[in-house]
Amino acid sequence: MHDETLYDCIIIGAGPGGLQAAIYLGRYNRKVLLIDRGGGRTRHARHIENFLTWKGISGKQLIELGLEQAASFNVRIEKGLVTKVLKKGSFEVFVGDTTYHSKFVIVSSGVYDNLPSMEQLHRFLGISLFTCIDCDGYKTTGRKLVIIGNSIKTVHLAIAMKEMFTEDITLILYSDKIPDEYKEELRDENIRFIIDRPVRIIGDDTIEALELKSGQRVACEVIMSHFGFKLNDDFLSELNLKRDRDGFKFMVNQQYESSLSGLYIVGPLNTGTDQAVVAAGQGAVAAIDIKSRLLEL
Ligand SMILES: Cc1cc2nc3c(=O)[nH]c(=O)nc-3n(C[C@H](O)[C@H](O)[C@H](O)COP(=O)(O)OP(=O)(O)OC[C@H]3O[C@@H](n4cnc5c(N)ncnc54)[C@H](O)[C@@H]3O)c2cc1C
């Protein structure tokens, strides 16, 4: 099935990045289609406290207000999973058995966290189990913290958390493959560390302890989980876009255009910081650039 409309821009993903871009392009009276499959990382954020003018807002509310605002500027919003994007002159965007066409595409499909498998994780995720120092480090201030992870970067995180938020830290690492100088630094910083794996969070309304595979229980009030994330990028696989040196994140220019002309990538899929307000800012920059290019066309 072909939607005969040639959209000025199709936006993939209704997180802060995609919604902000949609609001700008809608307010330029452009023909815009926003496609979102539902769910998403921002929707899982229970309390966002660092978004300008909102001392505390749930991610769900932020998205719902954004959808309402975009729709009020005549942005067409469709629920669906984008499975493929191609460029044959104009862009072709595939959703189920429908193909949509556009002059420009903004990808704002976000990322998803790698989470360790342990009992009760989802009960506390976003409340007292966190994954991001910039989002939720503050909420650990002065509290008994356990950090779990599997890389040297987790050691850096523990030292940073101690410097900014709390003295009371236990670090649980999956493997002992950390150089001696790091172990020494942890000792100097008075950060306890244990080589083991978590299996269960103990507690009903609040976290009381983390139970490890060895049976040991580590008392704590908050947990920081640090296992990185994956990109929601399967639908871009046929475009051969340029990535960073690690072959992971997408390279973009200052307007967030990727190595393929006309296709913009905003939010944590590019090499920038993973924050709602940053994704929104990038969405605005991409939309303003597309406005100028549509005028040139
Ligand atoms: C628990 C938690 C707490 C957080 N707290 C904060 C905080 O306090 N402050 C802060 O600034 N940031 C916070 N973040 C991070 C913030 O949510 C991200 O930086 C932000 O989501 C990035 O926005 P985005 O628009 O790029 O992507 P997202 O918000 O992830 O939105 C992407 C959208 O694209 C959709 N999508 C993905 N693939 C497809 C596809 N193939 N087809 C159609 N749709 C698709 C998804 O379903 C989703 O709706 C938090 C994240 C989590 C998980």
Side-chain angles (χ1 to χ4, degrees):
M1 225 166 70
H2 279 265
D3 180 326
E4 295 304 327
T5 311
L6 176 61
Y7 289 94
D8 289 315
C9 186
I10 292 178
I11 299 169
I12 303 167
L19 285 166
Q20 187 69 75
I23 290 163
Y24 269 73
L25 287 165
R27 292 185 71 257
Y28 296 132
N29 293 319
R30 294 303 181 180
K31 236 187 247 308
V32 185
L33 172 64
L34 172 64
I35 307 171
D36 188 83
R37 66 172 183 200
R41 207 154 171 267
T42 303
R43 268 188 188 272
H44 284 107
R46 301 204 198 194
H47 308 284
I48 293 181
E49 294 177 354
N50 54 7
F51 205 96
L52 185 69
T53 75
W54 289 96
K55 191 156 180 300
I57 183 171
S58 73
K60 185 166 177 274
Q61 197 190 355
L62 194 75
I63 299 303
E64 278 165 11
L65 288 171
L67 285 168
E68 216 175 278
Q69 196 177 352
S72 76
F73 298 118
N74 293 321
V75 171
R76 180 177 165 197
I77 298 166
E78 285 291 324
K79 184 158 188 187
L81 174 76
V82 174
T83 53
K84 189 164 62 174
V85 176
L86 297 177
K87 189 177 183 192
K88 295 178 179 168
S90 61
F91 286 97
E92 294 182 354
V93 176
F94 296 79
V95 180
D97 58 3
T98 306
T99 310
Y100 298 98
H101 302 266
S102 66
K103 297 173 193 166
F104 292 92
V105 166
I106 297 178
V107 175
S108 48
S109 50
V111 301
Y112 61 99
D113 290 298
N114 295 322
L115 293 167
S117 96
M118 62 175 154
E119 282 175 47
Q120 297 231 85
L121 180 138
H122 289 281
R123 182 172 198 161
F124 294 106
L125 183 63
I127 301 170
S128 40
L129 185 148
F130 308 116
T131 57
C132 158
I133 184 171
D134 302 307
C135 310
D136 296 316
Y138 180 78
K139 292 174 190 161
T140 70
T141 302
R143 301 176 80 188
K144 199 179 248 314
L145 170 69
V146 164
I147 300 176
I148 44 178
N150 59 359
S151 73
I152 284 179
K153 284 186 184 163
T154 316
V155 176
H156 292 299
L157 173 73
I159 292 165
M161 294 293 293
K162 168 124 194 269
E163 165 92 20
M164 291 188 283
F165 305 117
T166 179
E167 296 275 313
D168 192 342
I169 300 180
T170 305
L171 175 61
I172 316 282
L173 284 175
Y174 275 30
S175 104
D176 197 16
K177 286 187 198 143
I178 52 166
D180 286 344
E181 64 263 30
Y182 282 83
K183 291 182 186 165
E184 220 163 278
E185 202 171 339
L186 287 170
R187 270 181 223 114
D188 289 348
E189 292 283 343
N190 210 10
I191 297 173
R192 297 174 290 279
F193 73 94
I194 299 171
I195 310 298
D196 207 332
R197 281 167 188 254
V199 288
R200 189 180 342 148
I201 300 172
I202 312 290
D204 290 328
D205 295 332
T206 52
I207 295 181
E208 290 163 18
L210 184 66
E211 187 176 307
L212 307 179
K213 207 171 166 196
S214 60
Q216 183 178 356
R217 286 185 176 192
V218 183
C220 60
E221 300 166 275
V222 277
I223 298 172
M224 183 65 80
S225 163
H226 189 246
F227 294 90
F229 51 76
K230 293 201 178 71
L231 312 186
N232 292 321
D233 63 351
D234 291 352
F235 59 93
L236 297 173
S237 62
E238 295 193 28
L239 295 177
N240 207 15
L241 301 171
K242 206 165 163 204
R243 302 205 189 217
D244 63 14
R245 266 187 303 183
D246 301 326
F248 183 48
K249 290 201 168 194
F250 293 100
M251 301 297 292
V252 288
N253 67 16
Q254 286 186 328
Q255 280 67 44
Y256 305 104
E257 188 176 18
S258 70
S259 56
L260 177 64
S261 176
L263 185 122
Y264 292 68
I265 300 181
V266 302
L269 290 166
N270 67 40
T271 49
T273 320
D274 176 19
Q275 287 290 279
V277 76
V278 174
Q282 293 185 357
V285 172
I288 291 169
D289 197 54
I290 289 172
K291 169 211 66 181
S292 305
R293 290 177 65 181
L294 283 166
L295 290 173
E296 283 163 21
L297 287 179

